[in-house]
Amino acid sequence: MDSILKKFRQMADKKYAAFQSKLIPGIDPKSVIGVRTPDLRNLAKSLKGSEEAKKFLEEVPHKYFEENQLHAFLISQIRDFDECVKELERFLPYIDNWATCDQTSPVCFRKNRAQLLPFIKNWIKSKKTYTVRFAIGMLMKHFLEGDFKSEYLRMVCGVKSEEYYIKMEIAWYFATALAFQYEETIPFIEKKVLEPWTHNKTIQKARESFRISDDKKEYLKSLKL
């Protein structure tokens, strides 16, 4: 959308664009304009509920990284669950980088976990790298405390992929699960059910956590492959 691209150009920083491109391997550096995240969030707030935002959300796929980021922030602030999921399912197949994936975090999900879970179970079976990563991220964000069930550990363990950004998310999920649900999670590490790289990365991340005690960290170290 020309009006939004014009706003991006006004906020662009070429040096920041070069820096940002290095943080996101795999995307075309020419697709990064160089708009800082706080500015994109503020723009999303100013567009909230507008006709301009509505039209923008319908225009996928986007050309620029910042368009994807703005799209993620606009979706994240939708408070109606059904509307949010509708927009999310239209957008998820076009997410092409870890930053946009991880910064898509709808505020309405926290109060609608029961409705959310069937969608997570569907997304986690996707062939799209970042749809799977998003699903694991939502399990990590919303289902590791009061709404936790051990079946969610098995669900994530069942994801088989050689994609780096999926394997890393699985490791983050299990490391975080060790912090919040240690007794339920540690058998997965003891039995070495994760593939070796992910198993070791899980232990590394868990041992870096301030939520896990030193004695547990030492035990985890002994389980490294």
Side-chain angles (χ1 to χ4, degrees):
M1 182 177 282
D2 291 343
S3 61
I4 287 177
L5 285 176
K6 184 177 179 180
K7 292 181 175 74
F8 288 162
R9 301 294 184 193
Q10 292 169 345
M11 295 184 283
D13 180 332
K14 289 185 178 180
K15 289 184 179 179
Y16 183 72
F19 168 75
Q20 186 82 341
S21 298
K22 293 176 183 177
L23 296 178
I24 312 169
I27 68 167
D28 183 356
K30 293 179 181 178
S31 72
V32 181
I33 296 171
V35 183
R36 295 176 184 274
T37 298
D39 292 329
L40 289 169
R41 290 188 185 277
N42 287 334
L43 179 57
K45 289 177 183 177
S46 72
L47 292 171
K48 183 179 179 180
S50 68
E51 192 64 27
E52 188 176 15
K54 182 179 178 181
K55 289 180 180 178
F56 177 78
L57 290 174
E58 293 172 352
E59 295 182 356
V60 288
H62 298 300
K63 180 178 179 180
Y64 295 101
F65 167 72
E66 282 81 2
E67 290 179 297
N68 283 326
Q69 289 290 89
L70 178 62
H71 202 128
F73 297 146
L74 286 170
I75 287 176
S76 295
Q77 63 190 10
I78 297 173
R79 293 193 174 274
D80 180 82
F81 180 83
D82 292 335
E83 180 188 353
C84 181
V85 168
K86 182 187 77 172
E87 293 297 345
L88 186 58
E89 294 212 296
R90 173 160 49 188
F91 181 53
L92 277 175
Y94 299 107
I95 295 179
D96 62 358
N97 68 87
W98 67 265
T100 301
C101 180
D102 294 1
Q103 290 180 319
T104 305
S105 185
V107 295
C108 66
F109 283 2
R110 188 171 298 278
K111 293 183 178 180
N112 293 279
R113 291 188 179 97
Q115 290 175 266
L116 173 62
L117 192 58
F119 289 99
I120 290 177
K121 290 179 177 180
N122 186 48
W123 294 331
I124 207 168
K125 294 184 287 188
S126 173
K127 300 297 183 183
K128 298 283 187 177
T129 295
Y130 294 103
T131 301
V132 176
R133 182 179 171 98
F134 178 77
I136 297 169
M138 290 301 98
L139 277 177
M140 181 163 57
K141 185 176 181 67
H142 296 295
F143 295 92
L144 274 182
E145 295 186 71
D147 292 313
F148 172 79
K149 292 181 181 179
S150 58
E151 69 183 72
Y152 305 150
L153 294 167
R154 294 192 292 274
M155 191 188 309
V156 176
C157 186
V159 175
K160 305 301 179 186
S161 175
E162 290 303 314
E163 292 284 349
Y164 171 83
Y165 288 105
I166 291 179
K167 291 164 65 176
M168 180 59 82
E169 192 74 355
I170 293 171
W172 272 116
Y173 174 83
F174 273 92
T176 308
L178 283 165
F180 285 100
Q181 303 289 344
Y182 183 84
E183 295 303 325
E184 295 275 7
T185 308
I186 192 62
F188 288 80
I189 309 303
E190 291 172 329
K191 295 175 183 177
K192 301 176 174 60
V193 295
L194 299 173
E195 61 88 26
W197 185 92
T198 308
H199 174 94
N200 286 341
K201 184 62 69 172
T202 296
I203 291 172
Q204 176 193 330
K205 294 301 179 184
R207 296 185 71 241
E208 292 170 356
S209 173
F210 65 87
R211 295 189 181 102
I212 296 176
S213 64
D214 289 342
D215 60 322
K216 288 177 180 175
K217 288 179 181 180
E218 282 303 306
Y219 178 56
L220 285 167
K221 185 179 179 180
S222 73
L223 297 175
K224 192 171 181 179
L225 296 172

